[in-house]
Amino acid sequence: MELLDTLFGADLVRAIFSDVLRLQRMLDFEAALAKAQAKIGIIPSSSAAAIAARCRVQQFDLTAIARAAATSGNLAIPMIRQLTKLVAADDENAAGHVHWGATSQDVIDTGLVLQLRDAMSSIEKDLAILSDILVRLAKQHRDTPVVARTWMQHAVPTLFGLQVAGWLDAFDRHRDRLKQMKKRALTLQFGGAGGTLASLGDRGLDVAEALARELHLALPEMPWHSHRDRLAEVATTLALLSGTLGKIARDIALQMQTEISEVSEPAAEGRGGSSTMPHKRNPVSAAVALAAAIRVPGLTSTMLTAMVQEHERGLGGWHAEWDTLPEIVQLTAGSLHHMIEALKGLEIKTDRMLENLEETQGLIFAEAAMMALAKHIGREAAHQLIDAASHRALAERRHLRSVLVEDVAVTRYLPAAEIDGLFDPLSYIGVARKFTDRVLAEHRNVSPTGERG
Amino acid sequence: MELLDTLFGADLVRAIFSDVLRLQRMLDFEAALAKAQAKIGIIPSSSAAAIAARCRVQQFDLTAIARAAATSGNLAIPMIRQLTKLVAADDENAAGHVHWGATSQDVIDTGLVLQLRDAMSSIEKDLAILSDILVRLAKQHRDTPVVARTWMQHAVPTLFGLQVAGWLDAFDRHRDRLKQMKKRALTLQFGGAGGTLASLGDRGLDVAEALARELHLALPEMPWHSHRDRLAEVATTLALLSGTLGKIARDIALQMQTEISEVSEPAAEGRGGSSTMPHKRNPVSAAVALAAAIRVPGLTSTMLTAMVQEHERGLGGWHAEWDTLPEIVQLTAGSLHHMIEALKGLEIKTDRMLENLEETQGLIFAEAAMMALAKHIGREAAHQLIDAASHRALAERRHLRSVLVEDVAVTRYLPAAEIDGLFDPLSYIGVARKFTDRVLAEHRNVSPTGERG
Amino acid sequence: MELLDTLFGADLVRAIFSDVLRLQRMLDFEAALAKAQAKIGIIPSSSAAAIAARCRVQQFDLTAIARAAATSGNLAIPMIRQLTKLVAADDENAAGHVHWGATSQDVIDTGLVLQLRDAMSSIEKDLAILSDILVRLAKQHRDTPVVARTWMQHAVPTLFGLQVAGWLDAFDRHRDRLKQMKKRALTLQFGGAGGTLASLGDRGLDVAEALARELHLALPEMPWHSHRDRLAEVATTLALLSGTLGKIARDIALQMQTEISEVSEPAAEGRGGSSTMPHKRNPVSAAVALAAAIRVPGLTSTMLTAMVQEHERGLGGWHAEWDTLPEIVQLTAGSLHHMIEALKGLEIKTDRMLENLEETQGLIFAEAAMMALAKHIGREAAHQLIDAASHRALAERRHLRSVLVEDVAVTRYLPAAEIDGLFDPLSYIGVARKFTDRVLAEHRNVSPTGERG
Amino acid sequence: MELLDTLFGADLVRAIFSDVLRLQRMLDFEAALAKAQAKIGIIPSSSAAAIAARCRVQQFDLTAIARAAATSGNLAIPMIRQLTKLVAADDENAAGHVHWGATSQDVIDTGLVLQLRDAMSSIEKDLAILSDILVRLAKQHRDTPVVARTWMQHAVPTLFGLQVAGWLDAFDRHRDRLKQMKKRALTLQFGGAGGTLASLGDRGLDVAEALARELHLALPEMPWHSHRDRLAEVATTLALLSGTLGKIARDIALQMQTEISEVSEPAAEGRGGSSTMPHKRNPVSAAVALAAAIRVPGLTSTMLTAMVQEHERGLGGWHAEWDTLPEIVQLTAGSLHHMIEALKGLEIKTDRMLENLEETQGLIFAEAAMMALAKHIGREAAHQLIDAASHRALAERRHLRSVLVEDVAVTRYLPAAEIDGLFDPLSYIGVARKFTDRVLAEHRNVSPTGERG
């Protein structure tokens, strides 16, 4: 399924989860294990050097590993077998120290953690970039009126800056979640066959500590072979992020509809063209982000279902994770990449936003009128009065303003000038700007790397 | 994620969903379209010949297509562009007839349907093979006693043949489902840009009919661009199958546990070995089938969620299907392949089955005893009596038989010989054999191709 | 969660899955079991009469059953205990024949099947009603032009009748699926403790046959205690249906947007009103159907995951079904009910459909123009020419027609009158009417009960 | 579906999500809103008092609200209508101040947040109780040998204390997650019709602040009507917890199997009895926790899918949450409750654990033997030697120990006494105790309320 990877993924994260880097990270574990064991004197330094020298994926026959995995049931066994042979060719003694004390799951899980560390770093950088774009947009459009839509119907006016602030605000939470999750998830897996490191005698913990240092990973209280909440939390954290990206994509797709045309994904050579309709521009980035938001929940439910793993190391549940978690990471990274593309060059048509506010001939200001009237005659009465006027406006296809100025029950309390003012979008946006400012305040001292002050 | 494909997939179906065959099936659509249009006189025969000559995937630059898909949003657009260029090199006029009247989704959807047709054929063949294996096993073990376990506790005796018949019976239903689903799902997609075939004027339906004939596909009442129940049903049908395969895998894994050891996946070079525990045989096939049974439901929920597609052709939902459905097919085919592997060489330890029946020192026959006694004193009284005896047997770690023969309240109605007979597994298996025979009767006249008579 | 049941459910199906009817159907099983056993002479007729007389839910203490279920782990055990007591009060001997030979799962599963039979009958009736509405709409609007939208952008013209025919066509498939599924799913569950009916000696199958007759249910080849594909297929079949209903709801919600206003859910007292916006009409039915289409896939994935049930009767998987399947049925029935409500009174604004076709100032006819031109100069050249004209029209905010009539490269081949004709929606709808007619042909001889001839 | 609620739920949390408390929490919002507005002088104190006096669920007609919700599309509209009438009966003027400035979603979302706050508090208390139980068990069984099982096969020895420590360790992470999630999730929802609080003019933020204070909820930067990551994170956090509970339940169910019998759920009157098998004890609590672990992932995927909500307030997605999130909370609380029940009285059979270690006649110590030998002859040679011995032991059905002491290739390096020592479980448990101690160290200063020092 490589053909579609460029569409749905993001280049860097796609590389991180390539076959080649998957194996390399497993080999990184083996090299670090040998070095750690040499440092604390469990194996000779010469063995560590000989092993580390061979832990380079270029020297491995990936096809053979893939084929052997079909009978061994995992990638580690054939990889270690190849590694052992390669090392033996250089140093027979060192070959006996390959993978010493570790079990297949140690190398597979830790290799995955190393991939996840790289991927999370890339995603965090992209999140910072996206936030910067949104900060700029929210400031630029702090005063741009646009329709607030609820239940997919016009409701009342709002500001486009606030709409953007809502997107930005969600990413602030996602960045906190990622940070907290990483502390729990990015830890060493090292327990040996049964989680006791028994084959290392009483040196197991020493090796574990040295190995964690070598890989710059946190050392967990104990191995977590059959406790998968750490990895499942990677999935859920990204699923939440992917959901927000999908929500933005939906907003863009909706506001980009031909009849609405308030925003548009940027135009670019070959981007979103149709094979037969020359005038059409398809929201390609929105399509990708929406697809991700549809796919990631199902994949995440797989990661959650797979948590029920048996005893010290489970059957089936572990295997179910191998392709699922990388897919979640890649889909989320791809969705993020596409939303950066869409938002950084987003075409924003403020004139069209104003036109759309007029679509209902003033009915969108009905609540404003009701509230203004309610101050004089109470809400219930105001509601009835404006309701009647609204229905008249609809039936007679007239502007609500003109219906109201003719209605003595209204003009008794509201002079024509005040009625006119009710139909200015900026007169009925409440504390929208204050909300936007509260969100932006979080970003006042943002460093270039995206760390909030 | 190629490295794990050999483990989780089945060779043939994996090939069907390779990048190369994905594109080839799309090209098959383009070739057939040109031929169909030539046949009904819409384009010259020379054009059809020129187009068909170039519809061979070997001539295409897949990397360029993948790269271009990232901006065009689908594979069809860059593929058609390449095809047009290739054809133009041979016949400038024919180039203008490439993809005539079709839209991207026509070629992508129909290409997928062609892949699905091949895959379903392979899966049906494997289902027939699996059924044959199960027919043999059910017959062989029609009289082999084994513990019936409920809520993961010993319940009463049953026959291993009936356990196998239960598996077989489920596959009978799956084969019917596949057959019925194929009639609905394997249909042509051809509607042009808006589902009206407008660019073909009044010849749209003629082309559609000729094209369906060309591809040996059914012609649907109308295009189904945004009605995805056909494809979602492929997913649900396979998900049901995958669930049954997972159930069998769980049974095997449970009965293969060290303390139970009633069955075992076949031994083979490299199969299920552990890197550090020489005595261990891991149930690799069960692991794969269980992993599939965990993954397919989440993927299927994606296909179902993706059904909500907008208007004439949707945004995001369609894209969400592209990798998801092939993954479901491949996981199911892989699971099926592994269960064939596991079952065709399954080691069955009938002696261990008998030993396990004795594990509870006769308590597994408590219901038998209760029923025998109930004939004389009613069920309630019998229940109480046997309940007491059972607890005594447990407390005193004695065989229930010996407790019963000492109990005058029991021996008053049941002579010792009759009590003895109660503890023969074959004396308390009800109509187990009849159930097995009812299932086997469905397979009396099975042709070599698996069609039931 | 009763409060929301009236919103999300349909009255009849909600009643079918009420606590009261859930228990009643279980009691129906117990009554039928006793009658069947009396008929074949296993228990006295007097016992059957005594038992049947007490199998009325009004006589049971539901609160006590609910409380006891928390320790017994299912509803059958406390229900049978109450039943036995009730019968004993009338006829001590009969009490010993209650639930004779059956296990908890027999009564729970069969009770559920009886509920499903009623629910499917109700859903099928509603499907027939919905189809009749759609047949009427498709005929009425066979010639009503409307925009075909793809990727949420205007594509080309189509007919509203064809849009409706697409909905109708999907329901035709769903009705076939339901019919086929019912044959597999609506079968008796009766196997006793271990699936062998051992406690009935050699009369097990006779009882099973008589019981199936009594309940008018099909007798399966063997019990299916741990083979849940029958029930999971109920879920997947309804999930497919729910997906189509969600697709229609999305279409309605999109076409009901303020700026588009092509259709509207019917107005009714209290329906979709806003608490503060007097002019607003919320698409309540679409909201419910969309919510169902979001919820049912997750619930269905639960049913599929739960299929992996252990041995003869599983642990956890079975329990996971109890609330999940009824929820799926109710959500689907509710969604169906709401779509009937929405569609039977759907307001269709054909004038607005025409206006929207003009939204792009003729660009929606660009493909038509390109195709007309292509006949003269080939598709590639035509594409470039129309592409340029389209961009000019966009840039200068003019109608494409007026740009084309000024372009000598166009008028050389197409006279002004022919250009004018290109911009008539009905001139570029291909075989849309034929597609509609093909779908309607399936409904020519529909009987009042919805059976197609 | 009330009948099963006592089985699957936990009493307190079930009450929190009852219809009555759902409405009461919504009324709490209305009362607090009036009070807050009175405090900052927006409405008269008399109005606030009149409104607050009527915000008691006992005065409401729930059936009428449920019925009206079916047309209004949510519970808030009919509830507010009833409230307004009730208040009007006391104070006509106050009636005009009911729900002032708020929208339906404000009251529904905040009401839900108040329910969640109560539920999380209950869940955290139960987590503390469960952790205390596990601390005790881990200490008690710090030195109890048990089989470590991987891929559902015997692997090597471990300690039961470490198995328990693994469970405990996971809950430590869950408690951190809950704490972090609560900070994000438990916030006020208050934005008015379009998220701008426009109907409160420039006092919107003042009201929001006062209202947050009144309800003791955090005030978010801005309303989050269509940004549902806060609520979806409640779901994912509980789903992770539910996964761990399911893993423990699986372990218990597996170790409780008749042939294994290492642990058992506590016996109690009516608990897990079978209707026909007097000797059987079903793991009811494990069944419930496993069912929850199967159901919650699907429900969580619904919450994630529902995140794609349109514009300022969405259609369908919001509605999909209403029953789904409460269901997730209740299932998780019920699962937690059942695991407390199972673990606080768990029967632990240490003698049976020892017996099972002998099940393979010493093969479980093969790795120990290999490692001991490897020190002398290298791992590769040792592996081959022990492999051969293991197969001999298997073939001849002898204890591995007796095979090894006869093998001169072994005895050359290992004297008989040393070989004997290899088969003592406590001699091959590596740093198992140290791992256990590391986990327990986190619990040294646990206060009675469960706060870790």
Side-chain angles (χ1 to χ4, degrees), chain B residues 4-31:
Chain B
L4 289 166
D5 285 357
T6 47
L7 174 58
F8 290 125
D11 286 351
L12 183 55
V13 173
R14 197 154 51 89
I16 291 167
F17 286 101
S18 64
D19 280 352
V20 162
L21 278 189
R22 185 193 278 245
L23 270 193
Q24 184 56 58
R25 290 298 163 254
M26 288 167 64
L27 292 167
D28 290 349
F29 171 91
E30 300 292 351

Side-chain angles (χ1 to χ4, degrees), chain A residues 14-252:
Chain A
R14 198 153 52 87
I16 291 168
F17 286 100
S18 63
D19 281 352
V20 162
L21 278 189
R22 187 193 277 244
L23 270 193
Q24 184 57 59
R25 291 298 163 254
M26 288 167 64
L27 291 168
D28 290 349
F29 171 90
E30 300 292 352
L33 176 61
K35 283 184 207 165
Q37 290 175 330
K39 276 189 186 159
I40 67 162
I42 300 242
I43 67 168
S45 293
S46 60
S47 286
I51 293 168
R54 286 304 194 165
C55 286
R56 302 214 315 264
V57 69
Q58 296 82 346
Q59 312 184 38
F60 285 71
D61 177 350
L62 271 64
T63 312
I65 290 176
R67 210 177 314 116
T71 48
S72 66
N74 70 50
L75 293 172
I77 294 173
M79 186 199 79
I80 293 159
R81 202 174 301 131
Q82 279 198 29
L83 176 59
T84 307
K85 261 190 212 160
L86 287 169
V87 173
D90 302 335
D91 176 344
E92 186 70 48
N93 185 45
H97 297 127
V98 167
H99 192 60
W100 186 260
T103 192
S104 295
Q105 189 165 356
D106 292 334
V107 51
I108 291 174
D109 279 356
T110 303
L112 174 61
V113 166
L114 294 173
Q115 290 175 292
L116 289 173
R117 181 168 62 185
D118 289 348
M120 291 311 121
S121 156
S122 171
I123 285 174
E124 283 183 317
K125 273 179 203 145
D126 275 358
L127 270 178
I129 291 169
L130 186 55
S131 288
D132 286 349
I133 294 170
L134 295 177
V135 166
R136 178 173 55 74
L137 279 180
K139 284 179 183 165
Q140 242 166 20
H141 293 281
R142 191 174 169 274
D143 299 315
T144 304
V146 71
V147 176
R149 294 169 174 97
T150 65
W151 294 61
M152 294 184 71
Q153 294 289 309
H154 280 203
V156 292
T158 184
L159 299 173
F160 187 60
L162 181 60
Q163 181 182 337
V164 173
W167 300 344
L168 177 60
D169 187 39
F171 289 118
D172 290 347
R173 293 188 291 277
H174 290 303
R175 289 163 78 178
D176 289 343
R177 283 181 191 114
L178 268 167
K179 211 170 163 185
Q180 293 167 352
M181 171 274 277
K182 277 167 55 186
K183 275 207 184 145
R184 281 184 285 267
L186 301 183
T187 62
L188 179 70
Q189 179 69 284
F190 187 54
T196 61
L197 290 174
S199 62
L200 295 169
D202 55 2
R203 300 302 303 277
L205 200 54
D206 301 333
V207 175
E209 279 164 358
L211 177 54
R213 263 195 310 276
E214 200 69 42
L215 292 167
H216 304 289
L217 285 176
L219 178 69
E221 262 65 45
M222 59 175 285
W224 43 279
H225 287 139
S226 57
H227 282 281
R228 314 304 284 178
D229 56 289
R230 296 174 197 265
L231 295 183
E233 191 187 0
V234 178
T236 58
T237 306
L238 295 179
L240 293 170
L241 171 55
S242 167
T244 293
L245 292 163
K247 183 262 184 295
I248 298 176
R250 176 91 86 214
D251 283 354
I252 291 175

